[in-house]
Amino acid sequence: MIIAGEASGDLHAARLVEGVKQQQPDTRFFGIGGSAMRRAGVEILVESSELAVVGLIEVFAHRKVIFGALNRMREILRSDPPDLLVLTDYPEFNLRLARTAKECGVKVLYYISPQIWAWRQGRVKKIQQLVDKMAVVFPFEVDFYAHHGVPVTYVGHPLAHEVKPSADRDTLLQEFGMDPERPVVGLFPGSRRSEIKRLLPIIIYTAQLLQQQRPELQFVLPVASTLSPDLIRQNMPEHELDIHYIEHRPYDTMQACDAIVTVSGTVTLEIALIGTPMVVINRVAWLTYHIVRRMLKIDHLALCNIVARRRIVAELIQNDATPSAIARELERLLDDEDYRKEIKQGLEEVRQKLEDDSHITDIAAVTSDMLNQD
């Protein structure tokens, strides 16, 4: 059984499945995921797009769907236990499922750690009790888990050698039907429906402000595999922008941009690997924000800043995430050459850290080893 509750987890889990099938072709995978896992041969019982929400209030609003999926997976663990449960990120759901797996004697491999080093560090005790092995993607996570007595293996970040555009900027813009001579701003509203509803209007209002000041700008918006252009348009405020929607080509979209406004999450690492200057934004429900802020143990929200352990790109969070503030930062990214150079150098540092292959064990090998253990 393999579980991925979000678009990024779907991609990472699919690569794990492909790697294991190369080593053990008769291995059967089933569980929760999306299109990438389905293409890799996973029997999808619940679509991950139904579960991809962020924030305490938002999760509460979707509790029936989420707990319905959880109970379905629990019943399978009890009635027909698999040889291994592979959990990918998505901690609130996955740690509950891990408890049931333990009760049923099913081994648990957790791939891509919950960010407990960032907040709610007390959860490491639960992980120690419920997880047989952590497969982590950042080097600093090894020391954290080893310190708490959790078996851990560093498998490297799955994106490190896979985020590759298919062509250079000018070639891609010509292919997209855009003018390579005009600046391009990327509008990245996220891969979750809750992000689209919460943040897309802010991003669109930002783009409207920019276009009023700079009519030469062009805009691109990638549509995540978990979403549809129709869903994007349903949550789009009225506008007169000429937006180019790009489906299924996130890395080419990042490469085509001169600057990007993006939600927080794994996407900030992907953009860092491409090297495009960005501003990171986020807004959640008021209560969610004030609860989480008290629990945070880190200084940054964007993963690219966390990996660098310093502020490389601007983070505009909650009340700071206004269209006017975002527009000012994007203009600086477009116009201030020294600032652009500084940010691109910082993003290059992140890329080098993620691409360092020292002491990495392949995640497919870790999974196969656990499958073959008695």
Side-chain angles (χ1 to χ4, degrees), residues 7-24:
S8 59
D10 176 48
L11 292 171
H12 303 330
R15 295 179 187 115
L16 180 154
V17 170
E18 291 165 354
V20 172
K21 283 182 172 289
Q22 288 178 358
Q23 300 176 21
Q24 299 180 235

Side-chain angles (χ1 to χ4, degrees), residues 228-248:
S228 69
D230 286 343
L231 179 68
I232 299 287
R233 293 187 181 98
Q234 288 168 12
N235 290 277
M236 186 83 70
E238 290 187 12
H239 67 86
E240 296 180 356
L241 296 168
D242 182 16
I243 299 175
H244 294 256
Y245 297 91
I246 311 296
E247 295 186 65
H248 313 305

Side-chain angles (χ1 to χ4, degrees), residues 104-121:
C104 299
V106 175
K107 294 173 291 186
V108 177
L109 169 64
Y110 208 125
Y111 176 41
I112 305 181
S113 167
Q115 294 176 9
I116 59 174
W117 33 266
W119 70 302
R120 295 179 62 190
Q121 293 189 359

Side-chain angles (χ1 to χ4, degrees), residues 8 62 88 92 143 317 349:
S8 59
H62 289 78
T88 310
E92 303 302 332
D143 291 339
I317 310 303
E349 290 177 26

Side-chain angles (χ1 to χ4, degrees), residues 24 62 67 75 102 205 208 218 221 237 301 326 339 346:
Q24 299 180 235
H62 289 78
F67 278 96
E75 180 57 33
K102 271 299 172 185
Y205 292 139
Q208 288 178 308
Q218 304 174 98
L221 192 154
L301 182 67
I326 301 166
Y339 188 50

